[in-house]
Amino acid sequence: MTVAKLGFRDVEGFDQLLIGNCGKLNSIAFTLQGGNMCLYSPVTEMAKTDAPLPAGQQLVSLIFAPNHYHNKGLKPYATLLPQVALVCSDIAKPRLQKQTGLNFAPLDMLQAVLPKNMKLLTPAGLKTGEVWLQVQQGSKVAWVVTDAFCGNSAPEGEVNTTPSMLGTFPKFGVKDARVFRDWVANQIAELPPTHLLPCHGPPVEHPDLGTKLIRLLADTL
């Protein structure tokens, strides 16, 4: 996978996904029914660059605030895109509204325009209202996540194959570790991911990524 140093770039193997990078933070853009796009966790500093939005003719019609901590990029992008609706989970909404002063629609608005190969995943056992996006294309399955998992830097030219976890996540993100571990294991048993697109650090890619995630949870929670 390629992470852009500035602006958005294609995600190899996934026609409907773009990833933008600024520093160690990522924002993911994905195509909706009808061809418009949604921004997942917009990054503050990207709004100040010459390439704050995906290039081309696709319009951004939704901004997705995926948990209540990822809120700093919302006001800059709401200013940049004043006609665009913002969506979030019910759990994340109170803190997001308090921190930003913005209005948020329920996730039903996003759910109604998701392509058939995409699915919202709401992890059990967390306390931040975090919601993931699952995208399936052929034999590949990507999980777009916020704080639950992250990627470590790999040598230049090499694919990052090992997921990691932010040191702050167990304390600030997890409400019930056992419930979260069991939920992740059930999701992996149903449809194991091969790609991880986190908001923190580079993407991760491995054919047995699900096993690596389960092992990571067992070691850290």
Side-chain angles (χ1 to χ4, degrees):
M1 292 185 191
T2 300
V3 182
K5 293 183 178 180
L6 186 65
F8 287 84
R9 300 282 182 86
D10 294 337
V11 176
E12 185 178 346
F14 294 91
D15 297 339
Q16 301 154 298
L17 293 175
L18 300 171
I19 185 167
N21 168 261
C22 200
K24 295 183 178 180
L25 293 177
N26 305 317
S27 177
I28 292 85
F30 55 96
T31 305
L32 305 170
Q33 293 180 31
N36 287 347
M37 301 203 81
C38 176
L39 292 183
Y40 183 100
S41 189
V43 177
T44 306
E45 294 304 317
M46 285 187 68
K48 304 174 185 177
T49 70
D50 293 332
L53 299 171
Q57 301 302 310
Q58 292 168 300
L59 299 176
V60 174
S61 58
L62 288 173
I63 293 174
F64 186 178
N67 74 17
H68 70 204
Y69 283 128
H70 277 235
N71 56 57
K72 294 188 183 301
L74 299 176
K75 290 187 74 172
Y77 271 87
T79 300
L80 186 66
L81 302 166
Q83 304 304 315
V84 171
L86 293 88
V87 297
C88 70
S89 68
D90 291 341
I91 293 175
K93 185 175 180 178
R95 188 173 192 274
L96 286 173
Q97 289 185 323
K98 181 179 179 180
Q99 293 293 319
T100 67
L102 299 171
N103 295 317
F104 295 85
L107 289 175
D108 291 349
M109 177 180 285
L110 172 58
Q111 186 70 59
V113 291
L114 278 182
K116 292 182 179 180
N117 66 320
M118 295 187 187
K119 181 181 180 181
L120 297 180
L121 302 178
T122 303
L126 302 185
K127 55 186 177 183
T128 61
E130 181 159 332
V131 180
W132 304 348
L133 178 72
Q134 177 180 279
V135 183
Q136 183 174 12
Q137 184 164 333
S139 62
K140 299 178 179 181
V141 178
W143 279 4
V144 179
V145 306
T146 319
D147 290 332
F149 301 111
C150 63
N152 292 322
S153 298
E156 187 172 354
E158 295 185 15
V159 175
N160 184 19
T161 61
T162 303
S164 186
M165 182 178 290
L166 296 173
T168 55
F169 179 70
K171 179 179 180 180
F172 294 103
V174 179
K175 181 178 182 180
D176 190 315
R178 181 189 62 78
V179 170
F180 179 56
R181 288 195 306 266
D182 289 349
W183 180 89
V184 172
N186 289 336
Q187 294 298 319
I188 290 170
E190 180 178 328
L191 186 63
T194 57
H195 296 66
L196 185 72
L197 276 67
C199 288
H200 299 269
V204 182
E205 178 182 342
H206 195 274
D208 199 18
L209 178 59
T211 299
K212 287 176 172 277
L213 291 173
I214 290 174
R215 187 178 300 124
L216 172 64
L217 290 177
D219 292 341
T220 54
L221 294 181

